[in-house]
Amino acid sequence: MSKKSVRIDVSSEQLSSLRKEVFSNQRLSGEQRRRAVRRIMPLPTDGSHVDLYCDGNFVGTV
């Protein structure tokens, strides 16, 4: 069974937190990045690929 790709739209406040805590730290592994994002917003627990967008613009992927 293949994992699906999920699109999540984030608010500008969430984007600010994501940039500060997740995307600015290049030392985080993929799993550490997902855990950091989960502290800010809920993510699918099945490991699905998540694309994050704000105001229709691509922000990042976890």
Side-chain angles (χ1 to χ4, degrees):
M1 179 187 214
S2 65
K3 295 177 184 168
K4 59 185 175 186
S5 183
V6 177
R7 176 187 170 134
I8 296 178
D9 292 308
V10 298
S11 68
S12 56
E13 293 84 20
Q14 289 172 319
L15 177 57
S16 176
S17 295
L18 287 169
R19 282 187 175 150
K20 187 165 83 173
E21 298 178 25
V22 180
F23 296 124
S24 65
N25 189 349
Q26 296 299 313
R27 294 181 183 176
L28 294 176
S29 70
E31 184 55 38
Q32 289 172 324
R33 194 172 302 272
R34 283 184 73 89
R35 273 187 258 140
V37 171
R38 277 192 204 112
R39 286 190 291 260
I40 299 168
M41 65 182 22
L43 289 178
T45 57
D46 64 355
S48 295
H49 176 84
V50 178
D51 293 326
L52 302 171
Y53 288 82
C54 183
D55 297 327
N57 297 315
F58 178 75
V59 174
T61 190
V62 290

